[in-house]
Each structure stands twice: as structure tokens, then as C-alpha cells.
Amino acid sequence: MTALVLLACLLAGGGGGAVTSSSNPSSPSSTPTLGQAAAHHNIRVGAAADSPYLSDNNYAAILGSEFSQLQAENEMKFSIIHPLSNGYHFSGGDALTSFAQAHNRAVRGDTLVWHNQVPSWVTNGNYNSMPLATILQDHITTVMGHYAGKVYAWDVVNEAFNSDGSMRSTIWYDQPGIGFAFMGTKYIEQTLTWAHAADANALLFYNDYGAETMNAKSDAIYAMAQDFKSRNVPLDGIGFQLHIDLSFDDPNTLASVASNMQRFAALGLIFHITESDIRLSDSSAASFNAQAKLYGEIATLCVQQPACKLFHTWGLTDKYSWIPSFFPREGWALLWDANYQKKLAYNSVLNALQ
Ligand code: XIL
């Protein structure tokens, strides 16, 4: 690592090193922010963000003050960052990265290999495996190269497994795939290898939903991780998305999350809670209380597991949450309400992180 890259990496909070409270200065008497509270546990706290919202002053003020990192909710995904075969569109990701640097925050990248948000020039291109592999490798190399020294960790592959643990059928795996169709996790191994070659300093993650507890999907991810670790495939961590609802607040479920986290930690992997939100079906006081309790329990699980290095929510305000458009009649999932008031859930997470 050159001195220049090392410096840039440190300034961006890169390399997964210690999270210091000095990057989040405050007077000792003031109430800490989420980022400051979690820094004592060597955990970062972040939120998914979209650059157009930075012109909303309340949004920018919270994003710039409360968190120790941010992640693009959409603007580093394939269809947005690489919308044309010969054209990259970095402006959204760059705006977020500049904002993060100006506020001394780390940036996490999401995502390089996913079946959703793939542009039509790829999905309708009728490419066979060889050119598709070239397209994907170029994409990974270009995007990671552009953000080298600025983005400390990447979700390289997102959501590659079905809930029964089988491989999801996708353009990258077997439709037609990049050359490893029906060979299980080989294509994931290939993309991790490309990613490591593109930026050897970035932490590389596999990210998924519904794999938080011990179940068929997390078993499959665990088997992959165990195999990769035994053969030195460059995998640093697992991202657990944690898009959940109140049914998750069950002692057996929470105990299962703790056991699951522990088995990944025992492999020498770190993990990140990458996309946490707790959706509600109404805005009653009872629901907000229950949500606060569950958010606190999740943050506590992260604090209690040394391999948990990130507590990240999928947005910060209910005003812009993805939930209402994807889960009809549900919403109210984040830590600030649509008027930027802190919800009970905010206090609960802060208490758990302190
Ligand atoms: C979602 C975004 O929040 C939406 O704005 C977008 O329209 C679709 O994608 N799992 C993921 C995220 O990995 O990338 C998804 O983000 C939410 C589910």
C-alpha cells in the first residue's frame, strides 16, 4: 500500500481498522450521536443514502452528524453507475463519497453482482458466457478502481441464494452465467477474485436477506464461507440485511441470530448488519414501542458479538424509506419519522450502543 493510498484509506475510515471516537468529536458532556456511542465498541453506524436527498437540509444534517459511515442506497448499483455499455455514471456515488469525506465518514459500496437493477443493455444483450464474464470483470474493475481508497468495503455479491439454500438462477449464474453455470458458488469465487484484484485494500462481503437466523439459506452461505476460508478465496465478511418486521421479536429467533453470528465469527469472518429496517403495519404507539424494543435487541446482539462491525439502517427517515413501495400498507420502518423527529427506536438503538 503506498503512503498516499494508506492516508486516503485512513481518512475514509478504510481498511476496516479501528473506529475512533476522535473522528466524531464532541464535548464529553453532550449526548453522543449514534456513531460516537458505537465507536466505543469498535462498531460503525451507518445509513443508506441517495444523493438527491442531500439538498433536503434536515436529511443532510442528520446524515452528516449522526453516523460514522454511509452507503449508497442505489447509486453504486449496476444499472445506475453503468447504464450504457460504454458509459459509466459516477456522479451520484461521487456526490455521496464527497459528502462522506467532507464529514469524515467512511463509505461502504453496494453492490457489484446482483440479479436486480441490471441495465437492459446487459439483460437484453444476448451475450453468451465469455463476453458476459468480460463485462462483469470490467464493471468490477472500473467501479472498484474508481472508488479505491474511498470505499473501504464492498458487497461484491448480493442475494445469490434461494431460501432453500439452492443457488438463485440469475444472469450471472446460469442465464447464461459468466462461465460457471450449475457449478454452485464457483461464480461467486470468481467475482471475489476479480474484486480483490481490483482493490486489494477493500473488505469484500457476501450480502443477503433472510439469512440472519440458522436456516437453510444461512447454512448454504456458511458452507460457502467455510469452503472459501479453507482455500483462501478473498472473502472478509458477511452482510446480513435484516429487513424484518415485529414477528422477528421472538426469543428463539434472537437466540438463533446470535448462534448464527457466532458460527460465522468462528470462521474468522467479520459481519455487517447492512440494511436494517423494522417495518410496521400501523403507526400506533404500541407498534412504535414494539419496534423500539426490537431495534434495541438487534443493536445489542451486534454489541455483544465482537465480529459485528457495523449497524446500518436502510435509510434514515420514514420520508424516503423503500418499504411503502415494496410492502403495501407497511412502513414507519426507520429511526426518524417523516418529519425528521427521532422515534423511540432511535433512543433504543442509542441506549443499546452506549
Ligand atoms: C432497494 C432500494 O431501497 C430501492 O430504492 C430500489 O428501488 C430497489 O432496491 N435488498 C437490497 C437493496 O439489497 O439493494 C434493496 O434496495 C432492498 C433489498
Side-chain angles (χ1 to χ4, degrees):
M1 197 187 303
T2 65
L4 193 62
V5 172
L6 179 63
L7 180 65
C9 217
L10 287 172
L11 284 174
V19 183
T20 59
S21 45
S22 62
S23 65
N24 251 338
S26 75
S27 68
S29 58
S30 65
T31 307
T33 64
L34 297 175
Q36 289 164 342
H40 299 296
H41 303 287
N42 209 14
I43 294 171
R44 286 197 177 96
V45 186
D50 271 308
S51 70
Y53 305 146
L54 295 175
S55 56
D56 179 337
N57 291 338
N58 288 318
Y59 183 95
I62 293 171
L63 189 66
S65 62
E66 281 285 346
F67 301 98
S68 37
Q69 75 150 54
L70 59 80
Q71 177 171 324
E73 180 168 353
N74 287 298
E75 290 165 303
M76 294 187 186
K77 292 174 180 170
F78 206 134
S79 63
I80 294 150
I81 209 163
H82 193 175
L84 303 169
S85 61
N86 59 354
Y88 285 83
H89 186 79
F90 289 117
S91 61
D94 288 357
L96 289 172
T97 308
S98 300
F99 181 90
Q101 285 187 320
H103 294 84
N104 203 10
R105 304 290 180 251
V107 182
R108 197 174 181 285
D110 170 275
T111 178
L112 297 161
V113 185
W114 192 27
H115 59 282
N116 280 332
Q117 292 179 279
V118 181
S120 57
W121 72 266
V122 176
T123 53
N124 297 338
N126 290 317
Y127 297 107
N128 62 32
S129 295
M130 285 264 289
L132 200 58
T134 303
I135 287 167
L136 188 57
Q137 183 178 9
D138 284 351
H139 175 79
I140 290 171
T141 305
T142 304
V143 174
M144 288 187 73
H146 183 83
Y147 289 112
K150 296 179 178 169
V151 168
Y152 78 98
W154 278 97
D155 287 328
V156 178
V157 181
N158 195 32
E159 302 178 353
F161 290 92
N162 295 311
S163 55
D164 66 0
S166 60
M167 301 303 296
R168 186 194 292 271
S169 193
T170 77
I171 187 164
W172 308 119
Y173 177 51
D174 62 352
Q175 299 182 33
I178 58 168
F180 305 97
F182 311 110
M183 295 169 67
T185 57
K186 270 277 170 211
Y187 87 101
I188 300 178
E189 177 177 344
Q190 176 64 82
T191 56
L192 287 166
T193 305
W194 286 335
H196 185 65
D199 181 2
N201 295 317
L203 296 175
L204 306 182
F205 280 74
Y206 174 81
N207 188 51
D208 215 327
Y209 66 89
E212 294 83 11
T213 58
M214 304 281 255
N215 59 33
K217 187 189 269 191
S218 64
D219 286 352
I221 297 169
Y222 178 78
M224 172 182 74
Q226 194 174 37
D227 170 40
F228 286 1
K229 288 304 280 183
S230 74
R231 293 186 297 110
N232 291 322
V233 176
L235 175 70
D236 298 293
I238 305 295
F240 296 109
Q241 293 186 8
L242 230 106
H243 295 292
I244 56 176
D245 61 23
L246 294 177
S247 67
F248 209 84
D249 194 1
D250 169 89
N252 293 330
T253 303
L254 296 172
S256 183
V257 174
S259 307
N260 195 35
M261 288 177 168
Q262 181 52 38
R263 68 172 167 167
F264 282 100
L267 290 177
L269 292 164
I270 58 171
F271 56 87
H272 286 174
I273 293 174
T274 50
E275 306 186 14
S276 173
D277 51 20
I278 302 177
R279 57 188 185 273
L280 303 176
S281 49
D282 63 64
S283 57
S284 65
S287 292
F288 285 135
N289 272 309
Q291 180 187 50
K293 174 171 175 276
L294 182 52
Y295 257 120
E297 288 163 343
I298 298 293
T300 299
L301 280 172
C302 185
V303 167
Q304 289 174 344
Q305 170 51 262
C308 183
K309 301 294 186 195
L310 172 69
F311 181 82
H312 194 274
T313 51
W314 204 237
L316 54 95
T317 163
D318 291 340
K319 184 176 182 181
Y320 301 128
S321 166
W322 74 303
I323 293 294
S325 26
F326 283 81
F327 295 86
R329 293 175 298 285
E330 294 185 86
W332 307 280
L334 292 165
L335 303 185
W336 281 263
D337 72 15
N339 297 313
Y340 293 103
Q341 299 303 304
K342 288 174 180 167
K343 291 158 65 177
L344 290 175
Y346 171 92
N347 296 320
S348 179
V349 170
L350 183 62
N351 287 338
L353 295 176
Q354 286 198 73

